[in-house]
Amino acid sequence: NQVETGIRLYKDVIRKHVPAFVPSFPLGMPSIADLNSPVALRMRSPEAEFVAVWRLAGSDTVRLPGVGGLQLLYPLDLGIGVVADQAATTVSFPRKHMAALLQRKAPTA
């Protein structure tokens, strides 16, 4: 079930990074009145990087310029597609009002 998987993912993968997260908005600060434009929240720590992306009622693809090399972390079974290179990541959603969590671990020095 999606809720169980999401909670387990948070507890096992994300929670340990929360105290060190630095948030940013790769698509700019979202507007609560804009029901079409996608929303993206980037959360980086020295050890990991996560990007949450929401498709609202607009385009079925969301391009994250300047945020490359990401992979889909959750959900894996809803038909969400991710294409990434070093310069950008593009997320494709099969339906409106969906979200995805992407991940890239920071390189170790």
Side-chain angles (χ1 to χ4, degrees):
N1 127 353
Q2 295 290 345
V3 174
E4 280 181 16
T5 303
I7 291 170
R8 186 174 57 251
L9 181 68
Y10 173 77
K11 288 181 177 181
D12 295 347
V13 178
I14 299 169
R15 179 171 45 189
K16 63 187 170 193
H17 301 289
V18 171
F21 274 158
V22 175
S24 64
F25 295 94
L27 299 176
M29 184 65 96
S31 167
I32 196 166
D34 185 348
L35 303 178
N36 289 309
S37 297
V39 176
L41 172 63
R42 186 180 191 182
M43 302 156 289
R44 291 192 293 178
S45 77
E47 297 175 1
E49 178 177 352
F50 301 93
V51 178
V53 182
W54 292 266
R55 175 195 176 189
L56 301 178
S59 174
D60 63 351
T61 59
V62 178
R63 181 171 162 74
L64 303 168
V67 187
L70 300 175
Q71 62 186 9
L72 183 62
L73 181 61
Y74 175 82
L76 298 175
D77 59 351
L78 296 181
I80 297 168
V82 176
V83 175
D85 58 29
Q86 292 307 312
T89 298
T90 301
V91 185
S92 300
F93 293 95
R95 293 180 304 283
K96 295 178 181 180
H97 306 289
M98 294 185 78
L101 183 61
L102 312 173
Q103 177 186 35
R104 174 182 40 181
K105 292 187 179 179
T108 55

